[in-house]
Amino acid sequence: MADIVFGIWDGQIVHNGKSELWAPKLAPLQDIAEYEPGNPIQAIMGWDGFFVFDPSVDLVDMARAYMEVVQRESCGKCVPCRMGTRVAVDLLTRIADGKGSEEDIHTLRKVARLVREGSMCELGHTGMNGVLYLLDHYEGVFRESITKGVRHPRRSYHTKVTAPCIEACPERLDIPAYIDYIRSGRYTDSLSIIQEKNPLASVCGRVCVRFCEFACRRGMLDDPVDIKHLKRFVSDVELEAAVKKQAKEVRIAPDAKRVAIVGAGPAGITAAYHLLRKGYRVEIFEAMDEPGGWAAFGIPDYRLPRQVLRNEAEVVLEMGGQIHYNQRLGKDFTLKDLRDRGFDAIFLAIGCQLGTSLGIPGEELQPKGYYPGVEFLKRVNRNEPIEMGSKVVVVGGGNVAMDCSRSSLRMGAKEVHLVYRRTKAEMPADKVEIHEAEEEGVHFHFLTNPTRLLVEDGRVVGMECIRMELGEPDKSGRRRPVPVEGSEFVIECDMVLPAIGQKMDVSCLGDPPVLKLSRWNTVEVNPDTLQTSLECVFAGGDCVSGPATLIEAMAAGFRVSHSIDQYLRFGRVELTEEERMSRVLRAVAAVDEDMVDRLGRGVQRIQIPTRTVEERVDDFEEVEMGWAPEDALLEADRCLRCYRILLVATEK
Amino acid sequence: MTILMDGMRLNAREGQTILDVAREHDIRIPTLCYHEKLKPIGSCRMCIVEVEGSSTPVAACTTAVSDGMIVRTHTPDLVELRRETLKLIFLKHPMNCAACEINGNCQLQDLAHEYDINHTDLHTYNIRPVEPEPGPYATPLIQYHPRRCILCGRCVQACVEITEVGAINFKGRGALARIAPVERMGSIKPECVSCGECMAVCPVNALTEALGKKRGKAWETRKVKTTCTYCGCGCQLELNAVGETVTAVTPVDGGVNRGALCSKGRFGYDFINHHERLKTPLIRENGTWREANWDEALDFVAKRLVDIRSESGPDAIGALASARCTNEENYLFQKFIRGVIGTNNVDHCARL
């Protein structure tokens, strides 16, 4: 626990660790006493204030260092930020060198105001705040430097340039940068920013759940920037050239260390991509006969055409990796086999393949017309035979439930009913998905829960449901649904698709499992390093987190590539600088009452064109169409470029 | 919709920017990076205005109007901010206007005058000199002057929007940023086509012709609107002349080219004053050329065509038309060869 000697954020002051105003919000900041083991944090300086933990920190040098980062990051386009921050750097350098004059402080204030008021984007808009606050509250320190000619030696600091959207993205893509390149019509540059981290740009551009957009500050003005579809736009335009480019860059030494990846899903592909770029020999073992994992078998073609996924996933092959298909862990090989075959490290990314059952009577009979949702989707996506019913009931409120409902319609079901035990507001599915399912005519039954499967002659003939009402909030803060006694009713149907969750197939790890499992029956890992109970085995994606999102799985793949790289080079795994800074950033963000108080550029959010319901409901062709370039440029122009800079001063 | 600008109630339409509305109603908001032919850039910050509800000023060129918006374009605060911004520009941009060809015809100079910027103003900043790294430009036909450059971004935008090439972009960060050729975009290197659109939109003469360096002062230059002679497109342009010497080609609005030009039209004017230029028809007599007038030359050609045709038949004659002519002229030419001369031996130089 570190006490804040003095701090100011959003104009609110903390003094000697006491601040009744936002004590709970302050807790995370006080908890991060050390930047890394044995290296305490002395001060933090950011886009809307600063915090001093150790009064011996050199504030003048810190201010100069911060300003140098702003100048270095200034894109050079608008005058106040480009030249104003340079003036500020020079003034602060003079003061820090003991050569400043009284007038310099006045000039610094004046120029700081100009940069803040006059700059084009949020980098300039916020870059001066920390220095202005320092001048307000520690002016004496600056004056002393001037009057006594004190020299402040240069120290090094930890700095990070980020934005709310970047931090919200599990993979931390540099979103404003790639949007800016779209804005200036430079699509290839834009795509290469994405591909620094994300090998599946056009997949994400279609099906990402877009944490970034929920963090987008444009949303405080009107609607968030449509980041997802901008990504799709550049990847559609530039994909072919870019895939080839990635393939060319890789050089892998024949004696490089070998990494085995189990599972060619988003996590596995991403890990392979980054490990190949780091020069390792990578082989992927995939149980199915094509790449993509759940993205291939769980996401229907009308959202993500298979060929799009294949094209991108196969970048791994073009880079010199191998994918062995039809190799199922636990059946065709074991983790020990991989060790015996000479792999130096293993990444387990096998996902959650099994559907959770409803736990209602009738289910145990496995009647005809009853498919776990994941099984149904897999069959649809693989063109395997399904005995389609005409009246389908889907249970659940997530994206898988939406996929099941909409796929059923496309498979020829006359009527599709969706049963969900809470209300529409609580549905975890993407709002766009819910809307499109409604458009296509899926009947939604909210506050309804299945109680019994009605089976005749080994066939589903109906499902008994009960009405629910919302009771007290549970741990997640959502109000817990409770059944209304005596409200049972029957929905006649000939097909039931439960889509209420997925779990990992634990059996592939042997009996007893060779890896330690969590109490949710997922693989237990060190959350920072993704290392499992076996030193050389790492795990990530759904098989660790439980069923989650594509981008989180990809982030795990990206993370694990660092871990494996460190493990193979040094034998131990540590947090990266980026992750350390993100930890501090999260603590700072907790006290940040963010708001947008100036108008943005451009127009209203541009809607993505979709095929009409009549056109789309009978086939699996893509529902959403891409943007024309002029629309993409208009949308890109809406980005506020909320770049912000964080600086951490540490003892060492 | 209506907006309130400087206390006046003005009609505005959906999709207009604050600057659009101001210009429509003759309210002057200073601009530097804004150019009618390009999408608004918003980088120079000259057009900042105050909008009620916004904590800081916004650029008039990039901010859309909304119904009931209250805008102020000339408060003392704004004037001060614009003045400070101009001072920052002059920390790099040299003030020796006398040495510059566009002296007297320069938006930046006008603004410096309007906002009363002078040398002594800049001393308070006392910063280290800003010297961007020198480097080549995208084409040898154009010279880039990094110190003059105010990085408004017009050239970059023109290259993307008008020519759709994207051969130049910002390079470097902060005060050391400059305009430079794009080295590589993924696997593609965009090739400059030397059209000079970048140069044409530059407001501060930071891009100049590398060959014809002295192009005369604005006040001694005469501008003559004419049609480009290089091909049949019929692009409109303005020949700039000092005395009888053509010193530059500048774009003119309108015409089929809507102000755009190609490298030949823009840079290929030195033949006009070249001493070897053919100015009259020549007739070869006894192995040497002599000057003739047009009547004489045309009579001679007509006579020879008639003679050859009657001696050896029409197929002894072949004709080749020039790509510098229009479609209509080319049509007439082949009609003449086929209908009057009576041969199909006619072609066009563009096929060669």
Side-chain angles (χ1 to χ4, degrees):
Chain A
M1 179 100 168
D3 268 347
I4 296 170
V5 180
F6 183 85
I8 179 161
W9 199 269
D10 278 345
Q12 292 168 305
I13 292 175
V14 202
H15 206 204
N16 280 330
K18 287 191 199 74
S19 172
E20 290 166 18
L21 215 62
W22 10 292
K25 285 185 173 180
L26 216 50
L29 254 183
Q30 290 164 327
D31 281 346
I32 49 158
E34 290 188 326
Y35 183 70
E36 55 208 333
N39 192 10
I41 293 178
Q42 290 185 306
I44 296 171
M45 192 166 165
W47 59 94
D48 206 2
F50 65 89
F51 297 96
V52 176
F53 295 85
D54 176 350
S56 71
V57 66
D58 185 344
L59 296 174
V60 177
D61 183 52
M62 183 171 88
R64 161 174 62 184
Y66 190 87
M67 203 40 63
E68 280 175 345
V69 185
V70 181
Q71 164 71 187
R72 200 170 63 226
E73 290 301 323
S74 167
C75 74
K77 291 192 177 101
C78 78
V79 183
C81 179
R82 172 178 79 230
M83 296 305 293
T85 58
R86 166 65 184 271
V87 170
V89 167
D90 280 14
L91 290 168
L92 282 165
T93 303
R94 264 209 309 277
I95 295 170
D97 287 348
K99 295 173 186 159
S101 68
E102 286 283 326
E103 203 195 339
D104 285 348
I105 291 184
H106 170 72
T107 314
L108 189 56
R109 277 214 169 91
K110 202 164 88 174
V111 96
R113 178 178 162 261
L114 170 65
V115 174
R116 188 164 68 177
E117 308 262 293
S119 292
M120 183 158 60
C121 78
E122 296 293 285
L123 181 75
H125 195 44
T126 61
M128 288 291 182
N129 288 342
V131 172
L132 279 173
Y133 278 133
L134 274 177
L135 283 177
D136 284 349
H137 295 278
Y138 285 91
E139 190 171 326
V141 179
F142 290 83
R143 288 206 180 276
E144 195 182 279
S145 273
I146 292 167
T147 50
K148 296 192 181 155
V150 187
R151 293 208 55 202
H152 298 263
R154 277 178 186 277
R155 298 198 49 186
S156 58
Y157 299 87
H158 306 276
T159 58
K160 184 181 174 79
V161 184
T162 185
C165 50
I166 301 178
E167 283 311 305
C169 174
E171 254 196 334
R172 298 202 187 89
L173 289 181
D174 192 349
I175 294 161
Y178 76 71
I179 292 184
D180 206 35
Y181 276 127
I182 298 176
R183 164 151 65 196
S184 52
R186 295 172 185 278
Y187 307 142
T188 317
D189 286 327
S190 174
L191 189 59
S192 45
I193 297 271
I194 300 171
Q195 288 181 331
E196 269 305 299
K197 288 184 171 172
N198 185 330
L200 305 178
S202 53
V203 174
C204 274
R206 285 173 168 80
V207 297
C208 186
V209 293
R210 45 189 209 289
F211 295 107
C212 52
E213 288 181 30
F214 293 98
C216 175
R217 295 172 77 243
R218 179 83 198 202
M220 301 183 203
L221 281 177
D222 39 35
D223 290 308
V225 176
D226 196 342
I227 301 169
K228 180 176 92 165
H229 291 119
L230 283 172
K231 195 191 284 120
R232 169 178 172 173
F233 171 76
V234 274
S235 58
D236 281 358
V237 174
E238 290 292 327
L239 194 65
E240 205 173 315
V243 167
K244 284 187 187 124
K245 175 198 142 214
Q246 294 296 351
K248 259 186 255 159
E249 273 179 7
V250 177
R251 299 266 178 287
I252 298 165
D255 60 344
K257 291 200 169 159
R258 296 173 65 204
V259 181
I261 294 175
V262 186
I269 295 286
T270 310
Y273 173 81
H274 288 289
L275 286 164
L276 284 163
R277 282 175 29 138
K278 290 181 201 292
Y280 293 101
R281 287 158 70 199
V282 177
E283 292 177 40
I284 303 182
F285 297 85
E286 167 58 45
M288 305 302 283
D289 54 7
E290 74 165 273
W294 187 244
F297 302 116
I299 303 179
D301 278 11
Y302 62 84
R303 284 212 288 145
L304 175 61
R306 191 71 53 81
Q307 200 53 44
V308 170
L309 176 64
R310 266 183 212 144
N311 283 347
E312 280 195 319
E314 281 172 1
V315 69
V316 169
L317 300 178
E318 303 209 18
M319 291 166 81
Q322 291 181 39
I323 305 181
H324 307 286
Y325 292 112
N326 300 312
Q327 294 291 308
R328 183 177 289 276
L329 178 67
K331 181 170 145 264
D332 302 304
F333 66 97
T334 64
L335 291 181
K336 186 170 176 302
D337 292 340
L338 293 179
R339 282 299 279 172
D340 294 344
R341 286 186 217 170
F343 286 102
D344 300 286
I346 298 166
F347 176 42
L348 197 64
I350 55 175
C352 284
Q353 312 89 338
L354 299 180
T356 312
S357 55
L358 295 167
I360 55 172
E363 213 176 5
E364 71 290 348
L365 304 171
Q366 294 290 323
K368 271 191 182 160
Y370 172 91
Y371 291 97
V374 286
E375 179 64 24
F376 171 75
L377 288 177
K378 200 188 258 185
R379 288 194 179 201
V380 171
N381 279 328
R382 290 175 60 78
N383 281 328
E384 286 172 4
I386 304 170
E387 216 177 299
M388 260 327 278
S390 64
K391 201 171 167 186
V392 181
V393 175
V394 178
V395 185
N399 282 332
V400 175
M402 297 304 132
D403 288 342
C404 286
S405 310
R406 300 177 67 190
S407 293
S408 299
L409 284 174
R410 285 163 174 76
M411 293 296 288
K414 297 270 180 301
E415 249 178 63
V416 176
H417 295 262
L418 185 128
V419 171
Y420 178 56
R421 62 195 181 122
R422 300 177 201 249
T423 70
K424 188 172 172 182
E426 281 98 9
M427 271 186 135
D430 195 319
K431 297 283 170 274
V432 178
E433 285 276 303
I434 298 173
H435 173 70
E436 287 180 354
E438 276 177 335
E439 277 188 337
E440 288 169 10
V442 174
H443 301 274
F444 284 71
H445 302 265
F446 298 113
L447 289 170
T448 305
N449 210 23
T451 48
R452 198 154 56 94
L453 215 53
L454 305 180
V455 181
E456 267 174 32
D457 303 329
R459 284 203 72 92
V460 173
V461 292
M463 193 168 76
E464 186 191 81
C465 299
I466 189 163
R467 297 272 180 223
M468 311 289 278
E469 59 187 9
L470 292 180
E472 295 299 307
D474 63 8
K475 256 185 271 167
S476 71
R478 297 192 297 181
R479 288 172 70 192
R480 187 195 299 275
V482 286
V484 180
E485 256 181 73
S487 66
E488 287 87 351
F489 67 102
V490 170
I491 304 177
E492 281 177 26
C493 61
D494 47 11
M495 197 164 179
V496 169
L497 307 173
I500 55 165
Q502 283 151 258
K503 56 191 180 186
M504 193 182 101
D505 181 4
V506 184
S507 66
C508 68
L509 292 175
D511 190 22
V514 290
L515 296 176
K516 206 171 154 202
L517 299 180
S518 71
R519 62 194 175 94
W520 299 280
N521 258 346
T522 54
V523 180
E524 187 162 291
V525 295
N526 174 332
D528 289 332
T529 64
L530 303 183
Q531 210 160 11
T532 67
S533 54
L534 289 176
E535 202 188 47
C536 67
V537 179
F538 297 76
D542 281 2
C543 68
V544 168
S545 59
T549 62
L550 181 95
I551 188 68
E552 286 165 290
M554 293 181 70
F558 178 57
R559 175 68 190 90
V560 94
S561 69
H562 284 293
S563 293
I564 290 179
D565 182 43
Q566 285 184 321
Y567 168 73
L568 292 180
R569 286 197 295 157
F570 313 118
R572 66 191 150 74
V573 185
E574 285 176 348
L575 284 180
T576 60
E577 175 78 4
E578 186 184 44
E579 285 160 342
R580 287 210 170 87
M581 283 306 280
S582 276
R583 202 172 60 99
V584 180
L585 194 78
R586 277 195 296 276
V588 173
V591 297
D592 190 32
E593 295 245 2
D594 201 4
M595 58 183 277
V596 179
D597 54 3
R598 67 165 172 179
L599 292 176
R601 290 170 72 114
V603 290
Q604 295 285 307
R605 182 172 167 132
I606 308 289
Q607 294 302 322
I608 194 93
T610 54
R611 292 163 71 218
T612 62
V613 174
E614 294 73 37
E615 282 171 335
R616 74 192 191 214
V617 78
D618 293 325
D619 64 32
F620 278 85
E621 299 291 311
E622 250 189 310
V623 170
E624 288 179 343
M625 297 180 283
W627 271 322
E630 49 275 25
D631 284 341
L633 295 184
L634 280 177
E635 185 61 26
D637 200 36
R638 301 179 65 238
C639 173
L640 303 175
R641 277 173 54 88
C642 310
Y643 276 124
R644 39 183 61 173
I645 292 167
L646 187 75
L647 176 146
V648 178
T650 55
E651 216 159 73
K652 283 181 221 162
Chain B
M1 66 173 91
T2 58
I3 69 169
L4 203 64
M5 194 180 287
D6 296 338
M8 286 176 281
R9 193 167 294 282
L10 306 178
N11 287 324
R13 294 182 301 280
E14 191 77 35
Q16 281 186 306
T17 63
I18 296 173
L19 186 67
D20 291 337
V21 177
R23 291 201 164 182
E24 220 170 76
H25 293 88
D26 292 329
I27 295 174
R28 185 171 171 279
I29 298 176
T31 59
L32 208 43
C33 67
Y34 182 81
H35 191 285
E36 287 79 0
K37 276 164 77 176
L38 304 172
K39 281 210 283 288
I41 300 165
S43 67
C44 74
R45 314 312 283 173
M46 279 295 111
C47 72
I48 49 171
V49 293
E50 287 174 7
V51 174
E52 203 112 307
S54 182
S55 71
T56 61
V58 295
C61 67
T62 56
T63 308
V65 288
S66 58
D67 195 24
M69 189 181 241
I70 300 171
V71 183
R72 284 178 292 271
T73 67
H74 281 91
T75 65
D77 268 357
L78 285 173
V79 171
E80 177 66 10
L81 280 175
R82 286 183 194 139
R83 188 161 186 278
E84 290 298 316
T85 306
L86 273 172
K87 278 163 68 178
L88 291 182
I89 290 179
F90 281 107
L91 288 178
K92 195 181 83 171
H93 187 90
M95 272 191 157
N96 53 344
C97 294
C100 181
E101 291 93 335
I102 64 165
N103 186 14
N105 186 28
C106 170
Q107 287 180 50
L108 183 60
Q109 197 180 32
D110 293 347
L111 284 171
H113 181 72
E114 183 180 342
Y115 285 86
D116 196 20
I117 310 291
N118 53 55
H119 278 98
T120 49
D121 257 339
L122 308 178
H123 292 322
T124 49
Y125 289 141
N126 189 20
I127 69 164
R128 292 169 292 143
V130 178
E131 293 288 355
E133 257 176 70
Y137 194 62
T139 166
L141 293 181
I142 295 175
Q143 191 185 355
Y144 175 60
H145 307 264
R147 292 206 63 198
R148 283 186 195 165
C149 177
I150 59 166
L151 292 151
C152 64
R154 279 186 184 182
C155 51
V156 173
Q157 224 39 47
C159 194
V160 170
E161 286 181 38
I162 300 174
T163 318
E164 298 187 345
V165 172
I168 47 171
N169 202 0
F170 287 78
K171 188 182 176 190
R173 295 235 145 199
L176 297 179
R178 69 193 298 280
I179 302 297
V182 171
E183 278 151 19
R184 189 180 57 91
M185 286 165 65
S187 52
I188 307 154
K189 181 176 174 357
E191 287 297 338
C192 172
V193 295
S194 301
C195 64
E197 290 300 339
C198 47
M199 190 179 82
V201 294
C202 179
V204 293
N205 206 27
L207 294 170
T208 58
E209 276 184 53
L211 302 174
K213 277 180 188 165
K214 291 283 177 221
R215 71 177 209 223
K217 301 293 185 196
W219 57 85
E220 58 187 15
T221 301
R222 184 160 52 98
K223 293 195 171 191
V224 182
K225 187 177 168 185
T226 185
T227 305
C228 179
T229 56
Y230 269 102
C231 74
C233 282
C235 293
Q236 298 297 293
L237 49 79
E238 258 176 0
L239 287 179
N240 293 213
V242 174
E244 289 304 306
T245 309
V246 174
T247 51
V249 168
T250 45
V252 59
D253 277 344
V256 284
N257 52 321
R258 285 190 259 164
L261 289 172
C262 75
S263 60
K264 288 193 266 185
R266 192 183 313 273
F267 297 104
Y269 58 85
D270 50 347
F271 73 92
I272 298 172
N273 295 109
H274 200 279
H275 66 277
E276 285 180 357
R277 181 179 164 198
L278 203 56
K279 289 174 183 147
T280 63
L282 300 179
I283 295 176
R284 188 157 59 189
E285 279 172 359
N286 306 321
T288 55
W289 295 100
R290 71 164 174 84
E291 286 188 0
N293 62 35
W294 280 106
D295 283 344
E296 189 188 359
L298 287 172
D299 284 347
F300 180 73
V301 170
K303 181 172 177 301
R304 289 295 295 142
L305 284 175
V306 172
D307 291 349
I308 293 167
R309 188 169 174 273
S310 57
E311 279 165 27
S312 316
D315 282 341
I317 296 171
L320 198 62
S322 168
R324 289 191 162 202
C325 303
T326 63
N327 267 346
E328 293 81 354
E329 287 162 339
N330 273 299
Y331 175 80
L332 283 175
F333 185 71
Q334 64 82 34
K335 194 80 179 168
F336 168 74
I337 296 298
R338 290 200 170 96
V340 178
I341 305 286
T343 176
N344 286 325
N345 293 341
V346 59
D347 211 334
H348 183 271
C349 79
R351 205 203 296 276
L352 294 176

